[in-house]
Amino acid sequence: MTLLQQCPVYAPTPLLGHADLARHFGLESLFIKDESHRMRLGSFKALGGAFAVAQMISDAAGTTDLDSDAARKLVSRMTFITASAGNHGLSVAAGARIFGAKAAIYLAAAVPEGFANRIRALDAQVVRISGSYEDSVSAAIKAADENDWLLLADGSWDGYTERPALVMEGYTVLAEECRMEFTKKDIWPTHVLVQAGVGGLAAAVSGHIRDYWPKQPEILIIEPEAAPCLMMSVKNGRLTRVEGPESNMGRLDCKDASLIAFQSLRTDADGFLQVSDAAANSAVSLLANYDIRTTPSGAAPIAALEPLSLPPGSRCLIFVTEGLEAG
């Protein structure tokens, strides 16, 4: 967390207990980690890209003081590039701007223009790709090679794991914030439901829980019915691309899992659940009734809870991963 604390907008996000929602689901308690205002970017992704940018600058400059002359001189020549469904691109662009680097963000056709405008407002170059998220990833890889830019993807594959691991390390901060709060309360969840696209957040949270939490919950990974790439990869014992229609859970609608996320979750996760677009929409409405404003992606764990009959006395932790601005 030391590098992130050099970021002027870093602060822990709230871990909220919701007694009314807990009663709605027949739970003893329901804890919601609300990422909708994380670092003014409105998503947990703010932790990953910004942290990875900071760490890569620190490694290249040989110092953890990112305000040093050595770091500032080096960073002015650095350009970070990534493909994004929106939030990761915002985080990379913000990190680059904060620390004085340049950024180029590749966005697929389905990414809302609101994301593109917010990224441009961070002085980053936005490149639109007329295709899928996977097409934007391929285009970003090609541009990084042609321009000698620093590829900072949040997915990983054979031969490309070190930088995505840095992104995931940033995500562990929110799991550590939860651990500190549960330690104070001396109350621990029996179940953790965390959504997944390529799987970076899910793997980071699950790995941190397995390594550092004194009381171990059951961990369930939530994916769209249209994109269960992690479930199928774990089922087949290898990375497996899935096919399906476009999901309204845009940040989770990934047909290819991250290699390191798959490798981690095949041992750390206890199960995988899929939710429909309709269920995700209903979950958005339910949360809005309790003044929690999010998108279908952010509400996916609530959608999974609705049909899930957990035993009496269950205590659940879920993550509202983004606010309405992400939509």
Side-chain angles (χ1 to χ4, degrees):
M1 295 172 71
T2 303
L3 277 176
L4 271 178
Q5 287 169 344
Q6 293 188 50
C7 180
V9 294
Y10 169 74
T13 52
L15 179 64
L16 309 171
H18 281 270
D20 289 343
L21 268 173
R23 282 191 292 271
H24 174 87
F25 291 111
L27 304 172
E28 178 180 313
S29 52
L30 177 64
F31 302 100
I32 298 180
K33 181 66 167 169
D34 185 1
E35 295 293 298
S36 62
H37 299 287
R38 172 71 75 175
M39 292 166 66
R40 301 179 188 170
L41 296 182
S43 163
F44 77 94
K45 292 267 185 177
L47 291 168
F51 173 81
V53 166
Q55 187 64 66
M56 289 170 66
I57 295 169
S58 175
D59 290 344
T63 176
T64 58
D65 181 3
L66 302 186
D67 282 325
S68 67
D69 290 342
R72 287 292 177 183
K73 183 176 180 180
L74 178 70
V75 78
S76 65
R77 302 192 300 270
M78 299 172 78
T79 298
F80 294 89
I81 180 173
T82 191
S84 175
N87 286 318
H88 176 63
L90 274 170
S91 184
V92 171
R97 184 186 191 188
I98 288 167
F99 297 115
K102 299 181 183 67
I105 312 300
Y106 280 53
L107 302 178
V111 177
E113 185 63 12
F115 270 123
N117 289 333
R118 292 176 67 196
I119 291 168
R120 293 185 187 105
L122 293 168
D123 300 326
Q125 176 187 1
V126 171
V127 179
R128 281 289 194 174
I129 300 299
S130 58
S132 67
Y133 169 75
E134 287 73 24
D135 293 327
S136 69
V137 171
S138 298
I141 293 170
K142 184 172 183 286
D145 290 339
E146 291 174 349
N147 296 286
D148 196 27
W149 291 344
L150 296 163
L151 181 67
L152 184 48
D154 58 351
S156 60
W157 49 86
D158 282 332
Y160 184 80
T161 58
E162 183 176 342
R163 292 172 186 171
L166 291 178
V167 174
M168 288 172 57
E169 186 177 346
Y171 297 157
T172 64
V173 169
L174 68 97
E176 173 61 13
E177 290 173 0
C178 289
R179 186 199 66 78
M180 291 189 291
E181 287 298 312
F182 289 130
T183 298
K184 291 176 188 175
K185 302 175 191 294
D186 196 26
I187 299 173
W188 295 86
T190 58
H191 298 78
V192 174
L193 281 67
V194 55
Q195 55 268 70
V198 297
L201 171 67
V205 168
S206 300
H208 186 278
I209 288 171
R210 296 305 184 217
D211 288 343
Y212 297 108
W213 288 24
K215 297 184 181 179
Q216 289 292 302
E218 183 175 345
I219 299 175
L220 301 173
I221 309 304
I222 315 304
E223 298 179 284
E225 286 182 349
C229 59
L230 285 158
M231 183 195 74
M232 292 306 300
S233 295
V234 170
K235 180 179 179 180
N236 294 334
R238 57 180 173 79
L239 283 179
T240 301
R241 178 178 174 80
V242 298
E243 302 294 339
E246 184 178 309
S247 172
N248 66 357
M249 289 166 272
R251 263 61 66 204
L252 309 182
D253 188 17
C254 303
K255 312 303 187 188
D256 292 294
S258 166
L259 173 61
I260 51 179
F262 154 67
Q263 291 172 336
S264 173
L265 289 170
R266 67 194 303 184
T267 56
D268 289 340
D270 293 295
F272 296 82
L273 301 173
Q274 284 72 55
V275 296
S276 69
D277 284 11
N281 276 335
S282 295
V284 168
S285 298
L286 176 63
L287 286 173
N289 291 336
Y290 295 91
D291 294 321
I292 302 170
R293 313 293 176 179
T294 188
T295 67
S297 296
I302 286 290
L305 263 180
E306 197 72 73
L308 194 62
S309 297
L310 294 177
S314 295
R315 300 180 298 277
C316 288
L317 167 65
I318 68 163
F319 300 87
V320 170
T321 49
E322 61 184 20
L324 279 178
E325 277 193 313

